[in-house]
Every structure is written in C-alpha cells, then in structure tokens.
Amino acid sequence: MAYPNLGIPLPSGIMHVALQDYWSNSQATTWYFRIRPGMTWSDGVPVNATDLEYSIQLMFGKYSWGGIGSLYVWQSYLAGPITTAVHAVNSTVVEVDLNQPLGTLGDTIGAENTPNLTPKHIWNNGYLNNQTMPGDNFGTLVSAGAYYISNYTKGDSQVVLLPNPYGSPFGGDSKGIPYLDQITVKLVSSSASTSLMLKGGEIDAAPVSASDVAGLTSDPRFKVDYGPTPDTWILEYPIFNYPYNMSDFRKAMAYAINRTDLVQTAYSGYAVPGSQGYLPMSQSIPNLPQYDYNPQMAGQLLSGLGWTKQADGFYHLPNGTLFSPTLYAPAELQPQVATANRIAQYLKAVGIDVQVQTLSLPSMLDIWQRGTNMYLYEQNYGYPPAALLFDYSFAGSATGIPLVQPVFWPPSVGTLYNQTLKQMNAEGTEAGRNQIMQQLMTMIAENLPSITLYYVGNVWVYNTENFGGWPTTPSTMEWPGGEFNMTALATIYSLSAQTSTTTSMAPSGADYTPYIIGGVVVVIVLLAVGMYMRKKRT
C-alpha cells in the first residue's frame, strides 16, 4: 500500500494507490476505474486493468472458508454475476455495472478501505480461491509499489523489504527505483522505549507520542514528520436517554468543552479540533454550527432546562437529584485519559458533576449506551466523506456498540437523514454529492448525535545524521488502521558512501506500533499500527 505523491490522506483527497481516477454516468449506475500508469510488478509483469478487474471482483466475493471481500455488502447492487458486472473495457479501465444508483461506490472502491491491488497472474493460480484460505505468505510474493516483501514465513522475527527492481511512480531515481537497498522490519513486543532508542542512536526513525516530540527535537539531529489524519476521537452518549435526548443539553456540552485546549493537552498540538459536522472541514459550509468554546452560552442552555444549581455548584434535576454522569476513558491510552479529565473539568465548571472512570478497552463494551454513561470513542475513517457518511452512517444505528438504537433524536431527524442519503446515492455527479453532503453535515451539527473532539495527527521523529530525503511536514508515513506509506521511503538515501542496509521495528501481537531500528549502517523504516478501538458505525 502506498499513497500517491506523498500526499496527505485526508478524506477529501484519499485515493487507492492502484487508481489514477474514477467517475460514473449521470445516474451513478455505471462506474469506471482507471489503473495508475507506470506500475510494474516486482517480478517484471506490467500492471494493467486485468489486475484491477480481478481485485474488484474479489472485493465483491465471498469464500467458503469464511472470508468475504470488502465490497460483499454491495454484491446485490451488481447488475448480474460478479464476473460480468465487473469487467475491463480496455487495458487501463474497469467498468462496474449496477442495477440501482450507488453514488458512494466510486469513493468506496477508490479509497483506503479496499485491499491491496492483487496480481492476477499469481493469485488466480490457487493462492486465493473459494475452497482454501490464503496461506501464511499471503500478500508477500510481489508488489507494484516501491518495495516488496521478501521470503517471509509465519513466526519469523523480522520482515525483509527489497526495492522493486522495475521501479514505480512513487519516487526514487530516474527509473523510479528506490535509493535504499533493503529494509528489515523486526517484530518486537513493545514500543515503550522508542524515544530512548532514538536518543541512543539505536534507531533512525519512529512514530512517537506527541508528548515526546519536544524532548527529542531539542537535539538538532532529530526532525519531525507530522501529518494530519482523518482518524478522530468523539464523545459519545446514549442520545435516546434523558437528558441526552434534549437538544439544548447536547449543545450545552458542546459549548462547554474547549476542543482547542484538548488538542494541546492530549496531543501537544499534533491534532486538529473537531468539527461538529463530524468530518474535517475541507470547505466552508454556510451556517454550519461550530460550538466554539463558550461556557456562558453553556450555562444559559443548562439554566433553561428547568434544573437548579444548588450550593454545591452543580445542577440538580427537577426532583432534586444531583446529575452526576460517568465519563469512561480507555485506561491503556494516556492521551484519552488526559482528554477525559480535561472534559470533566470543563463540564464541572459549568455545573455538570462528571465523574471520570478508566476501563480497559474490552470492558468498555459493557457500559456503552447505558443510563447516563458517556465515553470516548475512536473512529478510523479510511473513507472519503460521502462513503463515510453512508457506511458509518447515522442512518438508524447508534454510534456505539451494540448499535441497536436510533442515533438521532427525535427519530424524525433520522428519517430525514436517511432520505437525504438516498438522494446522495442517486446523484451521479461529484458536485451534486458534495452539496448533499453539506446538508448531511449540517443535520449532524444541528442535532449532535455525538461531539467530535479532535482529529489525531500522525507524528514521526527521524534522525538526519546518516540519511537524507525524509518527508517534510505536512506529510505522513503511517495511516491509522495499519497501512505503511511506502512512498515516504522511496526518496530516502544514505549520506555516506558505505553499503547500507535498512532496519525497522514493529511490535508483534495486539500492540502494533512501528519504528525503525538501526545499527552502524542503518537505512530507514517500516511499520504496523494499533487498531485499538477503531470501530465502524455500521
């Protein structure tokens, strides 16, 4: 997986590395996807539309061993069998024919939620079929990107990446061949000592906690590669329960929380305050409520609920009961614990007696959507806006597990939202879909099914002593959800004349956090990232 042109993967600009572009007819019933030119598999076979055709067909498929493709949920939309509805029309373009409009299909296929481009000349020879689950070396045979994985076997303590000898469109020398000769990814159990390893010269680059950046960059050898991501944290609550079912109460909380302060407190500035339209703001939307920090407005809204602020400084319900909700935060994630404590301070300041409690991530499943509980919840976007608003939709499903309640209140808002979604999917032009998306974002901001806190940044620190060509901010070397941006490696080169080998590390097991290791002749990086609690809104 790679991102073209070292681009920043925001929802408004994500595209799968395999694609140059995509478009539809005016009814959004026929979609076309064009393969990116200039790619060659690392075994010398040119990449063409037959690979893309095969890949999309696999995405719509289901296998007897239990596997399903990322587009299987849309299989019923295909106009006929998969092999005829998805077909190459020439050497560069694949057509997908539908039996009904689906305006979000282009973004869904063309964005990050799709799997890697699959080499048909290898995988249709039995590596991936309906009877046998892919083996341990799945995905390690060839690559069309800057590097390919060499000779990995399950259980190995390291993964070796070698440069694609046929080059790629993603950087390197005049032939598109990367400058580095090898990358070794070593699998380790913990990444807690990453900053110390950077300081000690054991490694050359690593994703680090935002709180560690200042201490590292005080050394002139170390520089930061920071890029925004569309990964976000939100404050959730059971909107169908009192008092969350009152619009003014939800708005009071939104005004009471200083999201700019949360960015500084939890991420040392390496994040972006959230938009209450849910998506990162890529364009101006007229009259979209923003709920800038305003404790006075929060107090006015709370006072209008018929509650009474008593001598303890907190609001009591009309029956005299102190309103004291619990805010849950994942104990394993220190930035979120800090966030929860700051939110509690802000809500207490306006008279809401919030109590913070930390829980392990698995245990949080037991408290979601109960009583007056609030909780911090992470979304891993991976979709452009239209697909996100639809697939993670606020369409009749609550925003947290167990997804059994309406996400809007009153329910009539959800009905209108779903009707508008249908209009978006029936719209065949991007401009038309963008206009409808603005309507959807406005509905979300006006009704606040949750409060968007911030979009998490991606921070790498690298050592400039031995290597040059590192990406410059804004950029990103890692995509939340587990994909490494190999385009970031194609331009890195050794500053010495000696023969180089590259080493990097990524934790094994559940806590995947990547970082690069080095010795006397180190070259660069690689990774695997933590999924933590990134859930879909389906």
Side-chain angles (χ1 to χ4, degrees):
M1 179 59 63
Y3 296 96
N5 306 319
L6 294 177
I8 303 170
L10 294 175
S12 58
I14 302 172
M15 185 175 291
H16 196 289
V17 66
L19 298 180
Q20 183 181 49
D21 56 4
Y22 52 90
W23 64 97
S24 76
N25 63 0
S26 59
Q27 295 78 38
T29 55
T30 301
W31 282 91
Y32 300 93
F33 302 87
R34 193 196 316 272
I35 197 76
R36 180 171 295 278
M39 292 190 297
T40 302
W41 297 108
S42 54
D43 60 1
V45 176
V47 177
N48 58 41
T50 60
D51 295 307
L52 183 58
E53 172 194 65
Y54 182 66
S55 301
I56 297 176
Q57 288 174 352
L58 293 175
M59 295 177 207
F60 278 106
K62 182 178 182 180
Y63 308 98
S64 61
W65 41 266
I68 60 173
S70 61
L71 300 174
Y72 177 73
V73 67
W74 307 117
Q75 189 186 95
S76 63
Y77 279 63
L78 294 177
I82 294 176
T83 53
T84 56
V86 180
H87 61 277
V89 296
N90 55 43
S91 62
T92 62
V93 175
V94 173
E95 178 179 324
V96 179
D97 298 319
L98 306 176
N99 56 31
Q100 57 186 296
L102 187 57
T104 56
L105 183 67
D107 289 339
T108 301
I109 291 180
E112 176 57 27
N113 75 308
T114 55
N116 292 345
L117 180 67
T118 306
K120 182 177 181 179
H121 69 285
I122 290 181
W123 289 105
N124 70 345
N125 292 326
Y127 288 99
L128 185 60
N129 55 61
N130 197 47
Q131 288 76 40
T132 305
M133 186 175 179
D136 295 335
N137 285 0
F138 180 70
T140 67
L141 299 178
V142 297
S143 170
Y147 291 89
Y148 67 96
I149 297 174
S150 173
N151 299 321
Y152 173 76
T153 301
K154 184 178 181 180
D156 286 352
S157 61
Q158 64 183 31
V159 178
V160 175
L161 301 184
L162 299 178
N164 185 340
Y166 299 93
S168 73
F170 309 116
D173 63 18
S174 60
K175 296 181 180 179
I177 299 174
Y179 300 111
L180 301 177
D181 297 320
Q182 180 174 308
I183 302 171
T184 302
V185 185
K186 293 189 176 181
L187 306 177
V188 299
S189 60
S190 172
S191 60
S193 59
T194 312
S195 295
L196 291 176
M197 297 173 75
L198 278 165
K199 291 180 178 179
E202 298 177 65
I203 62 178
D204 288 281
V208 301
S209 170
S211 61
D212 291 338
V213 172
L216 288 166
T217 54
S218 60
D219 185 326
R221 296 175 301 165
F222 295 115
K223 304 296 181 183
V224 178
D225 169 30
Y226 164 69
T229 74
D231 196 20
T232 190
W233 280 87
I234 55 184
L235 177 65
E236 293 275 14
Y237 33 75
I239 195 172
F240 38 84
N241 287 349
Y242 180 83
Y244 304 108
N245 59 359
M246 296 192 297
S247 176
D248 281 352
F249 179 75
R250 302 192 298 271
K251 291 177 180 178
M253 289 202 300
Y255 279 121
I257 299 171
N258 187 337
R259 300 188 302 279
T260 301
D261 172 73
L262 295 182
V263 166
Q264 295 298 327
T265 302
Y267 283 94
S268 302
Y270 292 101
V272 177
S275 162
Q276 296 318 313
Y278 181 58
L279 298 176
M281 294 296 294
S282 58
Q283 55 187 320
S284 176
I285 300 178
N287 303 317
L288 181 72
Q290 291 299 303
Y291 305 98
D292 294 333
Y293 178 54
N294 189 334
Q296 291 75 25
M297 178 63 73
Q300 292 177 25
L301 290 168
L302 290 171
S303 297
L305 297 178
W307 298 2
T308 304
K309 183 181 282 190
Q310 298 191 5
D312 57 9
F314 298 117
Y315 282 99
H316 291 237
L317 303 180
N319 64 4
T321 303
L322 173 67
F323 178 61
S324 185
T326 300
L327 171 56
Y328 290 89
E332 300 92 332
L333 306 179
Q334 187 55 42
Q336 277 59 59
V337 174
T339 295
N341 286 324
R342 293 295 283 183
I343 289 175
Q345 291 178 31
Y346 281 117
L347 294 180
K348 284 176 180 290
V350 297
I352 301 176
D353 185 30
V354 173
Q355 306 301 313
V356 174
Q357 184 170 332
T358 59
L359 283 178
S360 66
L361 289 172
S363 299
M364 289 187 71
L365 293 173
D366 297 330
I367 55 88
W368 285 353
Q369 297 192 44
R370 295 186 180 181
T372 58
N373 292 338
M374 294 187 284
Y375 46 93
L376 301 183
Y377 182 86
E378 185 179 23
Q379 291 287 349
N380 177 20
Y381 282 24
Y383 291 69
L388 178 64
L389 291 173
F390 186 77
D391 288 347
Y392 289 171
S393 63
F394 303 87
S397 296
T399 50
I401 292 176
L403 306 186
V404 293
Q405 301 287 348
V407 76
F408 286 108
W409 199 267
S412 58
V413 178
T415 300
L416 179 60
Y417 187 92
N418 288 338
Q419 292 172 350
T420 310
L421 281 177
K422 291 181 180 178
Q423 295 174 17
M424 183 175 69
N425 262 330
E427 172 59 53
T429 67
E430 183 177 0
R433 289 192 296 273
N434 286 338
Q435 185 175 15
I436 297 172
M437 281 169 48
Q438 293 184 19
Q439 299 176 33
L440 295 172
M441 291 178 68
T442 300
M443 287 186 210
I444 294 169
E446 289 176 344
N447 292 279
L448 293 175
S450 57
I451 295 176
T452 310
L453 300 175
Y454 44 68
Y455 310 104
V456 178
N458 184 270
V459 184
W460 280 67
V461 170
Y462 55 85
N463 190 335
T464 61
E465 191 170 36
N466 297 314
F467 301 97
W470 296 100
T472 56
T473 297
S475 180
T476 185
M477 297 178 67
E478 171 187 333
W479 173 255
E483 309 298 344
F484 181 66
N485 181 1
M486 287 189 182
T487 65
L489 304 184
T491 57
I492 299 174
Y493 57 88
S494 173
L495 296 178
S496 69
Q498 66 187 85
T499 303
S500 298
T501 57
T502 304
T503 307
S504 89
M505 304 172 78
S508 59
D511 180 22
Y512 298 114
T513 302
Y515 41 102
I516 310 178
I517 226 184
V520 178
V521 280
V522 178
V523 191
I524 68 184
V525 318
L526 207 287
L527 64 53
V529 296
M531 296 297 290
Y532 297 124
M533 58 187 298
R534 291 163 181 151
K535 306 291 185 182
K536 292 187 176 181
R537 289 179 179 264
T538 48

